[in-house]
Amino acid sequence: MNRRHAIQTLAALAAVPALSPLRSALAQAWPDKPVRLLLSQPPGSGPDNIARLLSERLYPRWGQAVVIENKPGGQNTVGAQAAARSPADGYNFYFATTAALVTNAFLFKQLPYDPAKDFVPVAFVARSPFGILVKADSPIRTVEELVAKSKAAPGTFTLGNEGPRTFGGMIARLFNARSGAQANLVPYVSVGVSAQNLMGGHVDAIVADVASTAQLAKQGRLRLLAVTSDKRLADWPQVPAVSELLPDFDMVGWFAIVAPAGTPTAAVERVNRDINALLSDEEVAGRIATIGPIAAPGYSPAQTGDFLKREHARWARITREIDILPE
């Protein structure tokens, strides 16, 4: 009987699916070393500030540091490529933007990474609205007045942006197309330079992300005419949305966390759970709002992946509408 019982026990154990050593270890002890969070933006940028806020709050939860590594350049391609080539060991994650995961696919004939195949979705973080801004003393008070003024002086009314193949530049181009505005789109190397030129009177208006220009607007040096989200922002209730003039004009950037393809599910699920817990915290969400973006908790990895697919399809339509071809 003892021998028969032993054989039955061994047979039963053999029938139990075995966890891989890596998955088992992750489930029990992750993280047991620092976690790397890579960004495509420089230190001090809006995404960098949000990533550092999250890293500070994750440390007490994990007992391990979250090391921020900045790799800016190449319209996010430098950082995205580095993230895609990182070990898929559960300790490497990428704080990605709309450009890195979606719009770059329509701007480059060849990318050094594949946004769909090289990453697995982890968590959605926040939405980042853009705005149309003028000088504080500009006679233009509304978007309607801006459109009318551009039509009255076609080709001479100037609308600054970060360039035709950037997110802000494509928003400016779409605004021209849908509103009938005839603004001359002036490219700048950065939002900071365009804002300085706007305050100096070298350009009539700019399209820029709210995160980068909010302080100048709050200081009364710039005036925010409208935001590009589908509705008004809680922190700027007096500022209309462009969608109030142009229905369905919902043009916001966003941030999501992804990981190299093959990253263990246990690590993905843990990061997702803890990021969502932080984004649901009123204080954390409030601090993100002061930076500019709007925290968006509640997305599972699967829901984050579905969102990325919808955005890819939407931007395929938008780039056709504004006649953007990959180069």
Side-chain angles (χ1 to χ4, degrees):
M1 290 294 294
N2 288 340
R3 182 181 179 187
R4 183 185 304 164
H5 179 72
I7 291 173
Q8 291 173 339
T9 300
L10 288 171
L13 288 173
V16 176
L19 288 174
S20 70
L22 179 58
R23 183 176 177 185
S24 179
L26 276 167
Q28 295 173 21
W30 189 95
D32 60 4
K33 63 179 181 179
V35 176
R36 184 175 75 145
L37 185 58
L38 196 146
L39 283 84
S40 298
Q41 291 74 37
S45 61
D48 178 77
N49 291 334
I50 296 173
R52 292 182 188 278
L53 169 62
L54 296 177
S55 71
E56 292 171 3
R57 298 307 180 95
L58 288 170
Y59 176 76
R61 291 172 174 268
W62 293 350
Q64 295 289 343
V66 178
V67 180
I68 305 296
E69 185 172 332
N70 304 89
K71 286 187 176 293
Q75 286 186 225
N76 292 266
T77 58
V78 174
Q81 181 181 22
R85 293 181 178 178
S86 298
D89 58 1
Y91 288 88
N92 291 280
F93 295 87
Y94 179 38
F95 192 94
T97 61
T98 316
L101 296 183
V102 175
T103 59
N104 275 354
F106 304 104
L107 301 178
F108 294 86
K109 287 183 178 179
Q110 288 187 324
L111 282 175
Y113 65 97
D114 188 319
K117 295 180 180 179
D118 289 345
F119 300 109
V120 293
V122 177
F124 192 77
V125 178
R127 301 178 188 276
S128 182
F130 278 60
I132 299 175
L133 301 101
V134 295
K135 283 181 62 177
D137 60 356
S138 170
I140 300 172
R141 310 296 300 188
T142 67
V143 172
E144 291 90 340
E145 289 178 4
L146 183 150
V147 172
K149 189 171 180 61
S150 74
K151 289 180 177 179
T156 60
F157 183 89
T158 49
L159 181 60
N161 59 86
E162 289 184 273
R165 306 180 72 78
T166 65
F167 194 83
M170 289 188 288
I171 290 176
R173 195 162 176 168
L174 186 67
F175 174 76
N176 254 3
R178 292 189 179 178
S179 69
Q182 297 183 45
N184 180 19
L185 304 184
V186 180
Y188 285 96
V189 296
S190 69
V191 170
V193 175
S194 70
Q196 289 297 324
N197 272 259
L198 177 59
M199 289 185 290
H202 304 296
V203 66
D204 294 303
I206 63 172
V207 172
D209 62 291
V210 174
S212 298
T213 53
Q215 288 304 314
L216 291 173
K218 289 176 181 177
Q219 292 166 5
R221 302 174 69 186
L222 296 179
R223 187 187 321 127
L224 188 58
L225 283 187
V227 292
T228 62
S229 49
D230 62 342
K231 58 185 68 174
R232 299 188 183 202
L233 304 181
D235 284 357
W236 301 88
Q238 77 282 10
V239 177
V242 174
S243 61
E244 295 174 28
L245 174 66
L246 305 173
D248 301 322
F249 197 98
D250 182 16
M251 301 297 294
V252 299
W254 42 259
F255 308 117
I257 295 175
V258 296
T263 296
T265 303
V268 169
E269 292 177 345
R270 176 67 185 277
V271 174
N272 175 271
R273 183 171 69 249
D274 289 343
I275 289 293
N276 276 319
L278 291 179
L279 298 177
S280 298
D281 181 272
E282 289 187 5
E283 182 186 354
V284 173
R287 288 185 61 182
I288 291 175
T290 63
I291 297 170
I294 304 164
Y299 285 72
S300 68
Q303 289 169 327
T304 302
D306 289 342
F307 172 82
L308 295 178
K309 291 176 183 177
R310 292 194 302 272
E311 280 290 272
H312 187 275
R314 189 168 78 98
W315 274 97
R317 296 191 299 269
I318 291 171
T319 51
R320 286 195 300 269
E321 180 180 351
I322 60 177
D323 198 26
I324 290 284
L325 297 174
E327 294 181 353

